[in-house]
Every structure is written in structure tokens, then in C-alpha cells.
Amino acid sequence: MATANKKASLLQKVSKGLTVSSVITGSTFFHGPPVLALGLTKLFKQSAKVDETNIQITNSWLGVNNWLIDHVLPNLQWDISIDEQLDLNLQGRYLMMCNHQSWVDTTVNQYFGLTRMPLTRFFTKWELIFIPFVGQAFKILGFPMMKRHSKEQIAKNPELKSRDMLEARKACEQLLSQPFTLLNYLEGTRFTAEKHAAQQSPFQNLLKPKAGGLALALSILGDQIDALVDMTIVYPDGAPGYGEFWLGDVSRIAVDLRKIEIPDWVLGGNYEDDPVYRERFQKWVDQIWTEKDQLISQMKAKYN
């Protein structure tokens, strides 16, 4: 009997995996070409209508993914909490911070945000432009693509530093023509116990935050956004892999969103060149991270 049950469970997972992969692949081939085709027209003329259409197509693709989550993973339980002070809508402009544990984090963000917030973008490396389809889609959809130079390259040619900042400013300012959510994983990499130990992180549930990206975004967009949002994701049964998620091995996901008030002194500072401001900004981010760390512990405690 036990062997039969194992075989039945395995067949069920194989069937679910084939269903998910087939639907996502088919949806990608259906939605992808129109986005790329419309994107090519922007080489000749910028068009707000084309941008809007591409976002609608992308949201349709995300909608298919969300349908799969609701219907292929019906036993997945969501625990979503939203700060009363956070008035989210599809026409807003938001900067978002989030802890990072798994590739599933982005899927969670998309699931949550599709009906509540504008399309989420995040900073990507310019080199991704050379990845067929994916890189071009990022560019067409307005993901800020950065040409970042190493410290060694900047040391040899200091002008590269100002060029990087100019590229970042242009990339962010392009978002201002439409509603947006710009996501920043402040930890810079996915949390693991090994990385946590290597960093000697002072936080129980988080890696040390890297404040530079947030400082850059706030310096460019700070007076134009509707809210700075802190998203916290907790997997009560442990951070899953992407395959585990789609095979139905994740039973619970908790999400908390809170609004972070931006002090007046934050806007207008020079993080790159002002060491006093940089230290103060880092302490501010560390305080946010301390509160987030405590929140994660409280969220986990609910399921123990």
C-alpha cells in the first residue's frame, strides 16, 4: 500500500509539473512575440500607447501564472497583511524593499501585486540585454538597465563613476512617464545560513542591507513617489526552490506590507560623495532592517 501511495504521489507531481511547464511555456510563446514586436516600433518613435499595451500584455502573462497558482496549487494558504496607512492602487508610483530568500520571492511579488500595484520592475545589469528575448523584454518594459563599472575601472578612469550615475538617473527618470513599482532587494543576494554566518550579520533573519541602491533611487525619484513600501515574505516551512513551489510542496506563505515614512533629510542628500550623509542614511536603513527582523520573528512565531 505504501509503495502504491508513493507511486500515485509521484505520478501526481509529474502530472502537475508537466501541466505547469506546458502552460507557462505556451503562455510565454503567446505573449512574448507581441511585446518584442511592439518594442521594435520604439526604435523609430516613442509611444505611450505602445508602452501601455506592452504592460497590458505582460500583466496578461502574469495573470496566467496567477491562475495556475490558484487552480493548480489550491492548497496553498496565503496570509497577507497590509498596513492601513498604505493606500495601494494601480496608478501609483512606489519604491519597494523586500527580503530575499528564493527565486519564488519574485513570483510572490507578482501574485500579490498584479491587482494591487503597477507592474514591478527592478534594476538589472546591462549585459542581460544580450540574452535572447529576456534581455530585450526587460529593456522594452522599462526595467532600469545599469552599466556598472568595477572599482578598478573607475580608479583608472574616474569619469566612469559620473557616467554610471548619469545612466542610473536616466533609467529611473524613464519610469516617471507611467505608474511603476521599483523593487530593490537590499540584501543583494538570497539569504542562506552560510551567507549569514560569513557576514556575521547582526540580524537573526536577514543579511546586512546594502543601502546604496535605495539611496540612489530615493535621490532620483524620492519626491515623485507615493510611498516607500517594505514587503516582508515568510515561508513558515522553510524557503522553497522554484520547482518545489510549482510542484505544490509549499503549503503556506505569509506576506506583510508596511509603509516606511521618509524623513525630510533623506531627500536631496549625496550618498556617493558625502560621508556624513552616507553614515546617517545607513543607520536609518539599519533601523528599518532591525524592525523588519523583529517582524519576521513575530510572523514565524505564529506558525510554531
Side-chain angles (χ1 to χ4, degrees):
M1 178 65 75
T3 301
N5 288 337
K6 286 183 180 180
K7 287 183 177 180
S9 177
L10 178 60
L11 286 173
Q12 186 178 28
K13 282 195 173 184
V14 170
S15 175
K16 184 174 294 185
L18 289 173
T19 299
V20 169
S21 60
S22 298
V23 172
I24 291 179
T25 300
S27 175
T28 300
F29 277 105
F30 178 79
H31 291 95
V35 170
L36 296 178
L38 286 171
L40 289 175
T41 67
K42 296 176 67 176
L43 295 174
F44 308 100
K45 182 180 179 180
Q46 295 295 316
S47 169
K49 184 63 177 178
V50 167
D51 291 338
E52 181 181 344
T53 301
N54 271 336
I55 289 174
Q56 290 174 349
I57 295 171
T58 303
N59 283 338
S60 176
W61 179 78
L62 294 175
V64 172
N65 295 349
N66 286 5
W67 182 91
L68 282 171
I69 292 172
D70 290 334
H71 292 83
V72 180
L73 309 176
N75 296 324
L76 175 59
Q77 297 179 2
W78 293 89
D79 183 359
I80 297 176
S81 176
I82 305 175
D83 188 344
E84 293 181 356
Q85 298 181 5
L86 195 55
D87 182 20
L88 300 175
N89 64 82
L90 295 174
Q91 298 303 312
R93 294 175 173 178
Y94 307 105
L95 289 181
M96 178 182 286
M97 303 177 289
C98 188
N99 57 318
H100 195 18
Q101 307 158 84
S102 165
W103 290 114
V104 180
D105 298 341
T106 301
T107 300
V108 171
N109 181 282
Q110 292 168 344
Y111 181 88
F112 169 87
L114 182 61
T115 59
R116 296 180 176 93
M117 304 175 74
L119 178 67
T120 298
R121 287 120 164 148
F122 42 84
F123 285 103
T124 61
K125 297 178 181 179
W126 173 258
E127 289 75 12
L128 293 181
I129 195 72
F130 301 108
I131 299 178
F133 301 112
V134 175
Q136 293 80 44
F138 281 162
K139 179 64 175 176
I140 290 167
L141 292 170
F143 282 62
M145 304 192 79
M146 306 295 296
K147 295 179 180 178
R148 297 308 297 262
H149 296 91
S150 67
K151 293 181 179 179
E152 292 76 15
Q153 290 174 316
I154 292 175
K156 293 179 180 179
N157 184 2
E159 291 183 2
L160 292 177
K161 182 176 181 179
S162 59
R163 190 182 304 173
D164 285 347
M165 294 299 294
L166 180 61
E167 291 290 340
R169 182 170 295 278
K170 287 181 179 179
C172 288
E173 288 175 347
Q174 288 175 359
L175 293 175
L176 293 173
S177 63
Q178 57 194 295
F180 66 85
T181 304
L182 183 58
L183 172 64
N184 191 337
Y185 291 116
L186 265 63
E187 292 164 290
T189 184
R190 286 170 289 164
F191 179 98
T192 66
E194 293 76 16
K195 294 174 185 176
H196 185 266
Q199 278 192 355
Q200 296 184 328
S201 173
F203 309 102
Q204 181 179 350
N205 305 290
L206 298 162
L207 301 178
K208 296 178 181 179
K210 297 180 178 180
L214 178 63
L216 174 65
L218 283 172
S219 69
I220 299 169
L221 301 171
D223 59 350
Q224 302 287 328
I225 63 172
D226 296 309
L228 174 61
V229 182
D230 180 32
M231 171 181 272
T232 300
I233 301 174
V234 167
Y235 303 100
D237 303 310
Y242 202 62
E244 292 175 299
F245 174 78
W246 285 111
L247 289 175
D249 293 335
V250 181
S251 59
R252 302 175 293 184
I253 299 178
V255 180
D256 182 275
L257 279 94
R258 60 178 181 142
K259 181 178 181 180
I260 302 296
E261 297 298 333
I262 304 174
D264 292 339
W265 63 265
V266 166
L267 302 181
N270 189 333
Y271 185 88
E272 292 291 329
D273 300 321
D274 184 346
V276 175
Y277 174 85
R278 182 165 58 250
E279 182 180 0
R280 189 180 185 187
F281 190 93
Q282 184 67 61
K283 287 182 178 179
W284 176 60
V285 171
D286 285 343
Q287 180 57 41
I288 294 173
W289 229 235
T290 297
E291 295 170 2
K292 188 180 187 73
D293 194 39
Q294 294 169 352
L295 174 61
I296 292 174
S297 293
Q298 293 168 6
M299 292 171 70
K300 287 181 175 180
K302 289 175 57 177
Y303 298 95
N304 292 336

